[in-house]
Amino acid sequence: MNIRNIAIIAHVDHGKTTLVDKILHATKVFRENQETGELIMDSNDLERERGITIFSKNAAVTYNDIKINVIDTPGHADFGGEVERVLKMADGVILLVDAFEGPMPQTRFVLQKALQLNLKPIVVINKVDKPNCRPDEVHDAVFELFFNLDATEEQLDFPTYYGSGKNGWFNDSLTEIDNINPLLDGIIKYVPAPKVAEGPLQMQITSLDYSSFLGRIAVGKVSRGSIKENQQVALMQADGTVRKLKVKELYVFEGMGKKKVAEVVAGDLCAVVGVDDFNIGDTIADADNPEALPVISVDEPTMNMLFSVNNSPFFGKDGKFVTSRHLRDRLMKETEKNLALRVTDSEDGDSLVVYGRGILHLGILIETMRREGYELTVGQPQVIVKEIGGKKHEPYETLVVDVPQEFASKVIDLVTRRKGEMLVMETKGEMQHLEFDIPSRGLIGLRTQMLTATTGEAVMAHRFSEYKPWKGAIPGRNNGVLLSKFQDKTTGYSIDKLQDRGTFFVDPGEDVYAGQIIAEHIKPGDLVVNATEGKKLTNHRASGSDDATRIAPKTLLTLEECMEYIQFDECIEVTPNFIRMRKVILDEEERKKVAKQMNAQMA
């Protein structure tokens, strides 16, 4: 068969999307003079802003009369659910590894999934033009990783290519050339053509696309038989129901887009129009003798957050969708395509508990919703605790930190205070490579502290490992917060007088309300302050007293930083234009009452 299906997997920032760019250019998908920019596959606004891939995507190129379906996957651990399902469409994987950093936690995770599916690996050691790179050592480390993951003899005999995606060359040796043809030849040589079983139609839906004209489109790989336009098929769902449907239109991937066809044979990837109300993991089968494929299993979520309607005094001023029904419908729609996400009802009717893979996973969902015009309130992220053998267990993660040697002791101190245990400490060039086993709770808020302690030099990555017994209390935020006393606009006069009390999150002239967090206190404990008082103007002016107030600019926190910053009695108000932190109970007297009751219960 003249088809090769290959997924590109790697740790974040090792150069997957750049490699896809080079493959698209090398196979002449674009005209000679066409302006394409960089990171062509990262088409979503959030992906472009953050420089990360969030959704896996397909492209198809033709090289030496052979069609290569390329699947670009995310590198962040929080989007592991995307990678797990799309690997089902591939017959081989390109494992991309940075020539300096070597295998990282996410490399291990995605490689393990690929080896379990028995996919043929090709190792590409990228960025060999970087200073301090160590391609030979990295190659040995990759081999060791394969061995530790119980790879078969055949998988251990993997071909290796070296090169630089940025400079546009890949070769089977360290000799620099001016193209990536050796790698494309390697894909055709080493990746097997799709294995096609005899029998009637079977196709598993592994991802979905959406078009405002055609509605929901099912995407997957035809694993046996063939699928034709206007054919009657059976949709077999995870709960055992079988529905008869008709295929309206069929598309295969071509370049960056799709091409309409009348029939797709086994082994190729295709998009099917006309199959509504499907879920990822369902099977499209022959109408007369339907057989289902095994349902895709995705790792469980490790974190949850409470999503509820915005109940602040500024409710409804900013967003289009503000009711609990809007919120529920949007979250349920998200679970259809976001496999690692779960949504359940909370005890009170207005809130929903959303389970995800980590802070970034949930943060991207909230950011997407606010851009669509939703207003909501989200609580502090909590880890999911399980009872195993009558004992309380919590999720643990493997944390890897690469940091200049002079900061290593600070990093070790920060992590051990959060109940982390050091497993590995080794020197890589001028950097110290540290590996820890740490409870997932300990990671919340760690990144900000780590970057402050290392002047932004630390490179941090983590990956869920397993559930282990509960480790006890982990210290949270050290400092309290300053809360607004009144609802009004802040004034420069008040903020100037309060600057020695804390670091402000608001500028003069911003609307605030009672109970909103406006600054971080310099001491533990919260303080209610009046930041809305204006200067009393009199007829007498003393010389020098009207000098311009010198106010430090406000500290800007991103959504993820706010999620890591808040404590259990605080929440975040998210609207299309504002992100405000606040107390769950806005009234000061009410908060004191609740605090008294809690203290009495604990005593």
Side-chain angles (χ1 to χ4, degrees):
M1 284 191 71
N2 290 343
I3 294 176
R4 301 287 184 274
N5 298 320
I6 192 142
I8 301 182
I9 57 175
H11 187 77
V12 64
D13 268 351
H14 281 198
K16 293 178 297 303
T17 308
T18 305
L19 172 60
V20 178
D21 285 2
K22 298 303 174 199
I23 292 175
L24 291 170
H25 284 298
T27 51
K28 304 276 190 290
V29 168
F30 305 106
R31 297 189 315 273
E32 289 292 328
N33 59 349
Q34 192 172 344
E35 279 292 321
T36 56
E38 292 182 344
L39 306 178
I40 305 159
M41 295 290 269
D42 285 349
S43 51
N44 176 289
D45 286 347
L46 269 174
E47 292 180 315
R48 287 204 165 278
E49 281 170 31
R50 293 171 183 241
I52 58 172
T53 303
I54 298 169
F55 309 104
S56 60
K57 301 180 195 64
N58 300 53
V61 299
T62 306
Y63 179 72
N64 291 352
D65 298 328
I66 290 179
K67 180 181 182 181
I68 304 173
N69 283 310
V70 181
I71 307 160
D72 184 21
T73 63
H76 265 282
D78 283 23
F79 307 112
E82 286 275 314
V83 184
E84 285 169 67
R85 62 183 169 84
V86 297
L87 286 178
K88 287 267 179 131
M89 295 198 278
D91 299 298
V93 291
I94 290 181
L95 178 72
L96 205 63
V97 187
D98 186 299
F100 170 68
E101 290 182 358
M104 296 288 274
Q106 184 69 4
T107 318
R108 184 188 182 92
F109 164 74
V110 286
L111 179 61
Q112 188 171 10
K113 298 283 177 197
L115 294 177
Q116 284 166 0
L117 290 168
N118 209 17
L119 302 178
K120 175 69 185 170
I122 294 175
V123 173
V124 175
I125 295 175
N126 190 18
K127 306 190 183 182
V128 295
D129 54 327
K130 277 171 84 171
N132 295 332
C133 71
R134 25 185 213 110
D136 297 334
E137 280 176 55
V138 167
H139 180 267
D140 295 345
V142 172
F143 184 84
E144 204 173 302
L145 178 63
F146 270 79
F147 185 75
N148 292 341
L149 293 174
D150 299 327
T152 61
E153 288 289 323
E154 193 187 352
Q155 287 170 331
L156 279 170
D157 186 23
F158 55 82
T160 307
Y161 291 84
Y162 301 89
S164 160
K166 192 170 131 194
N167 297 334
W169 68 272
F170 285 102
N171 201 353
D172 50 9
S173 66
L174 280 163
T175 315
E176 188 170 341
I177 51 173
D178 62 356
N179 58 47
I180 66 162
N181 293 352
L183 177 58
L184 293 169
D185 294 331
I187 292 173
I188 289 166
K189 181 179 174 187
Y190 295 111
V191 175
K195 290 190 188 74
V196 177
E198 289 296 315
L201 166 68
Q202 265 190 332
M203 169 187 159
Q204 187 157 43
I205 300 171
T206 44
S207 67
L208 63 88
D209 207 343
Y210 185 81
S211 148
S212 47
F213 299 109
L214 304 169
R216 294 174 76 215
I217 302 169
V219 179
K221 176 179 164 188
V222 183
S223 46
R224 73 175 196 204
S226 68
I227 185 167
K228 300 184 181 74
E229 211 172 14
N230 299 323
Q231 181 182 348
Q232 288 288 339
V233 293
L235 179 70
M236 310 190 69
Q237 299 191 290
D239 57 6
T241 53
V242 179
R243 291 174 30 233
K244 293 282 190 331
L245 296 158
K246 186 177 174 185
V247 175
K248 287 182 187 161
E249 291 180 7
L250 274 178
Y251 293 86
V252 291
F253 293 96
E254 185 174 67
M256 295 288 297
K258 299 185 187 77
K259 178 175 81 170
K260 194 174 176 195
V261 289
E263 182 182 14
V264 180
V265 294
D268 205 352
L269 310 186
C270 72
V272 182
V273 177
V275 186
D276 292 327
D277 296 330
F278 61 83
N279 289 315
I280 287 170
D282 294 352
T283 304
I284 295 175
D286 187 70
D288 301 325
N289 41 2
E291 289 174 58
L293 286 159
V295 178
I296 299 172
S297 62
V298 171
D299 285 0
E300 290 292 304
T302 56
M303 201 166 268
N304 66 1
M305 282 175 82
L306 199 66
F307 280 50
S308 52
V309 290
N310 180 13
N311 58 358
S312 84
F314 296 162
F315 159 79
K317 281 189 175 182
D318 209 20
K320 276 193 295 191
F321 308 109
V322 295
T323 65
S324 56
R325 186 177 57 83
H326 284 139
L327 198 60
R328 176 186 299 278
D329 292 350
R330 176 67 181 82
L331 289 170
M332 290 306 171
K333 190 175 146 200
E334 186 68 26
T335 55
E336 291 175 356
K337 62 174 189 283
N338 198 331
L339 277 202
L341 201 76
R342 309 252 191 293
V343 179
T344 60
D345 286 310
S346 68
E347 288 151 14
D348 69 341
D350 277 352
S351 308
L352 294 151
V353 183
V354 180
Y355 298 83
R357 280 281 179 92
I359 290 219
L360 188 66
H361 185 206
L362 293 165
I364 292 287
L365 168 64
I366 298 165
E367 183 64 44
T368 308
M369 285 173 68
R370 70 179 274 234
R371 288 180 182 210
E372 289 169 9
Y374 285 83
E375 265 191 33
L376 63 155
T377 305
V378 293
Q380 187 193 22
Q382 307 282 347
V383 298
I384 297 168
V385 180
K386 288 184 180 176
E387 284 276 330
I388 304 174
K391 282 190 175 169
K392 196 171 164 187
H393 282 60
E394 64 175 326
Y396 271 68
E397 311 223 3
T398 305
L399 169 69
V400 175
V401 186
D402 286 309
V403 68
Q405 291 183 355
E406 66 263 31
F407 298 121
S409 58
K410 285 184 180 174
V411 171
I412 295 165
D413 178 48
L414 267 176
V415 177
T416 44
R417 264 193 267 163
R418 289 166 169 262
K419 302 279 196 272
E421 287 176 22
M422 189 156 71
L423 307 173
V424 177
M425 183 176 185
E426 57 188 27
T427 306
K428 277 189 187 176
E430 295 162 13
M431 304 287 267
Q432 202 73 28
H433 177 79
L434 308 166
E435 284 183 30
F436 302 91
D437 197 30
I438 183 172
S440 297
R441 288 179 299 143
L443 288 170
I444 298 174
L446 178 65
R447 184 179 294 273
T448 319
Q449 290 189 348
M450 179 94 70
L451 291 175
T452 308
T454 62
T455 64
E457 295 271 347
V459 178
M460 220 176 114
H462 53 88
R463 164 88 241 139
F464 169 72
S465 57
E466 58 182 323
Y467 271 82
K468 289 187 187 175
W470 182 264
K471 203 75 185 272
I474 290 177
R477 189 176 72 207
N478 296 329
N479 295 5
V481 289
L482 301 186
L483 301 163
S484 176
K485 191 171 187 175
F486 303 112
Q487 179 176 331
D488 203 347
K489 282 194 189 308
T490 54
T491 62
Y493 174 74
S494 295
I495 291 178
D496 181 40
K497 298 283 180 274
L498 291 166
Q499 277 195 113
D500 54 350
R501 291 295 177 92
T503 315
F504 274 80
F505 303 136
V506 291
D507 274 334
E510 277 189 39
D511 283 309
V512 294
Y513 51 80
Q516 183 181 332
I517 297 172
I518 55 173
E520 180 178 288
H521 196 188
I522 53 168
K523 297 176 183 171
D526 300 340
L527 195 63
V528 178
V529 297
N530 180 2
T532 60
E533 190 182 6
K535 183 173 181 185
K536 299 285 178 284
L537 298 176
T538 64
N539 293 337
H540 303 287
R541 295 200 171 180
S543 63
S545 66
D546 265 359
D547 281 354
T549 50
R550 291 185 184 84
I551 297 173
K554 69 175 177 183
T555 304
L556 268 174
L557 295 182
T558 63
L559 179 61
E560 279 90 31
E561 284 168 344
C562 289
M563 285 160 71
E564 293 190 334
Y565 185 81
I566 58 171
Q567 299 296 300
F568 71 93
D569 63 336
E570 296 162 1
C571 58
I572 309 167
E573 175 192 353
V574 182
T575 74
N577 295 314
F578 297 98
I579 295 172
R580 302 182 181 100
M581 293 184 288
R582 46 164 281 199
K583 289 288 181 188
V584 173
I585 301 166
L586 294 174
D587 185 68
E588 188 183 351
E589 296 305 318
E590 197 67 30
R591 277 200 304 275
K592 285 177 181 168
K593 265 188 215 165
V594 172
K596 260 185 195 167
Q597 286 167 0
M598 283 176 71
N599 291 339
Q601 283 169 4
M602 286 168 79

